[in-house]
Amino acid sequence: MSGRWARTFLTAYRFAGAAAYPLVGPYVAWRTSRGKEDRVRRRERYGIAGRERPEGPVIWIHAASVGETIAVVPLVESILDYGVNIVLTTGTVTSAQVAEERLGDRIIHQYVPLDLKPAVSRFLDHWRPDLAIIAESEIWPMTILELGARRVPQVLVNGRLSDRSFKSWKKRANIAEALFENLAHVVAQSEIDGERFLSLGARPVTVSGNLKVDTTPPPADEKALYALKRQIGARPTWAAISTHEGEETVAAEVHAMLHKRHHGLLTIVVPRHPDRAEALAAQISGMGLKVARRSKGDRITADTDILLGDTIGEMGLYLRLTEIAFVGRSLTSEGGQNPLEPAMLDTAVLAGRNVQNFRETYQRLLDSGGAKLVRDRDMLAGAVNFLLSNEVARHEMMAAGAATVEEMRGALACTLKSLEPYIQPLVVKSRLKGANGR
């Protein structure tokens, strides 16, 4: 498909809608059905606003889920200091809760409209954003095209393209170019991501580093932390966090292999999707291990083998209970999960070898000695055993991870510099409006 025909295709798509084209129709259907909905605010997903538009310039910032929302909080706070209104959209209930907890009424929160023309048009007609800032890898054809048609500058921040996404877009390179040329600027996480966006037609592209590095460590409720530490006492611990299917079983098997060698060992398992907890608890109990579920308030007793962290928003609590963390989606699934939070909290990081989505972060941690990759269950058991048995090596690994995070900081300043040409005119406009209104 030539560039000319790609543009013709996308123009037709913009007016006909996703149902007419199988290439992107399944994507819209997936977005429509994914995750749990906030029934009270479901109309927002169809572009029907739940709030009035404020006077003056408005910046629309979108962060899909919890990780992206946490990553953009410092950026949002920095922009708020300029005195510009922000509408922050997220795609999940949990990310909406994070936005409420960390930003409160300083921003207007809305659920992101579905990538369908009527929904996107209603959203844009109401909010009339002067600038759109989209986090990470949220590429919505309809939204990008509608913003482009209205000449609203669009900036992708903390941008990344996984191996799978890049391969998929390369197969449709002309369509990618016709879409990405609507982006005023791409601020990419890494050199690899930057090169990928450039090859797909994005211009200009800046490399900033990962915004998640410039966030604060995940918080923990002090009262809950004190209570759990009292229950655990001096028992040795290790954690398997952000785990995906199959990795919880591996963690339980590692526990069974090590608990006699390390008397009183407690293994903390934090699944990526807590709604799997019921089945996981039954599965692990079936292995002859005693499980305490955090969501049910189960006490950790002397014979508890596994603390199942089946709650949302308490990663900071779980990580403060240990000095060793295996980061999931890296043994039985592909792509990996973000290792920055455990590294920030002085935790020795272990992971499987499938960490493509966080390749540069892991490489920095590996080079400094702050992380170690394992091949399989037995190698994971060996690594956990070594770290439990060698306090000096464990603390050296913890310190190396924390130091690496500090060295990687700076993405926020770089991102703000890239955004300055788009934000400063809005700041001036906002101040002029304020002066005229007095």
Side-chain angles (χ1 to χ4, degrees), residues 85-378:
N85 299 304
I86 291 178
V87 173
L88 175 66
T89 58
T90 63
T92 65
V93 174
T94 50
S95 53
Q97 292 169 348
V98 169
E100 171 63 27
E101 291 167 3
R102 304 205 178 190
L103 296 166
D105 59 6
R106 291 181 290 166
I107 53 97
I108 297 172
H109 176 270
Q110 297 281 278
Y111 284 106
V112 68
L114 298 169
D115 197 39
L116 298 166
K117 180 174 172 53
V120 174
S121 293
R122 275 192 292 266
F123 180 89
L124 295 178
D125 286 344
H126 178 83
W127 294 109
R128 304 190 310 278
D130 298 274
L131 170 66
I133 300 174
I134 302 167
E136 297 213 9
S137 54
E138 290 284 283
I139 308 299
W140 318 324
M142 184 62 70
T143 303
I144 289 175
L145 293 171
E146 283 296 304
L147 284 166
R150 296 169 189 239
R151 301 189 182 280
V152 178
Q154 306 174 62
V155 181
L156 183 67
V157 300
N158 217 36
R160 69 181 179 92
L161 282 172
S162 67
D163 294 348
R164 181 179 297 177
S165 293
F166 179 60
K167 184 178 180 180
S168 178
W169 281 115
K170 283 295 284 184
K171 291 178 181 177
R172 306 170 181 92
N174 287 316
I175 292 179
E177 183 174 359
L179 272 177
F180 291 164
E181 71 179 6
N182 287 278
L183 300 178
H185 201 126
V186 172
V187 186
Q189 285 189 22
S190 70
E191 293 291 345
I192 291 175
D193 291 310
E195 290 169 4
R196 288 177 172 179
F197 280 110
L198 281 169
S199 72
L200 292 174
R203 300 286 190 281
V205 175
T206 302
V207 177
S208 66
N210 193 337
L211 277 177
K212 292 176 181 175
V213 181
D214 286 356
T215 60
T216 56
D221 181 274
E222 291 297 329
K223 185 176 180 181
L225 180 61
Y226 176 75
L228 288 176
K229 282 188 171 181
R230 282 197 64 184
Q231 292 173 29
I232 295 170
R235 295 175 63 177
T237 65
W238 76 285
I241 66 169
S242 300
T243 51
H244 286 241
E245 187 171 356
E247 291 173 331
E248 297 88 4
T249 305
V250 169
E253 290 173 347
V254 168
H255 176 90
M257 296 165 70
L258 298 180
H259 80 281
K260 290 183 179 178
R261 185 171 299 186
H262 300 280
H263 180 69
L265 178 66
L266 176 71
T267 295
I268 303 163
V269 176
V270 186
R272 176 70 172 175
H273 303 291
D275 56 356
R276 299 171 51 232
E278 196 72 38
L280 290 175
Q283 184 180 21
I284 295 172
S285 296
M287 298 169 64
L289 302 174
K290 184 173 180 181
V291 179
R293 290 181 61 179
R294 169 69 178 154
S295 67
K296 295 185 176 298
D298 297 340
R299 285 186 59 82
I300 300 170
T301 58
D303 60 346
T304 299
D305 295 294
I306 307 289
L307 169 60
L308 187 58
D310 55 347
T311 55
I312 293 172
E314 292 196 309
M315 187 62 77
L317 175 69
Y318 301 125
L319 287 172
R320 286 175 172 85
L321 298 175
T322 189
E323 295 180 341
I324 305 166
F326 164 80
V327 183
R329 202 187 177 192
S330 57
L331 267 184
T332 61
S333 298
E334 293 187 2
Q337 295 288 169
N338 192 350
L340 288 170
E341 288 185 344
M344 285 179 187
L345 287 171
D346 298 314
T347 308
V349 174
L350 302 173
R353 294 182 173 182
N354 301 313
V355 292
Q356 301 91 327
N357 290 351
F358 300 92
R359 185 181 284 113
E360 182 168 319
T361 301
Y362 270 104
Q363 192 59 59
R364 294 285 295 270
L365 288 169
L366 290 168
D367 290 345
S368 71
K372 178 180 175 61
L373 301 186
V374 298
R375 179 178 57 252
D376 51 27
R377 180 201 65 183
D378 292 346

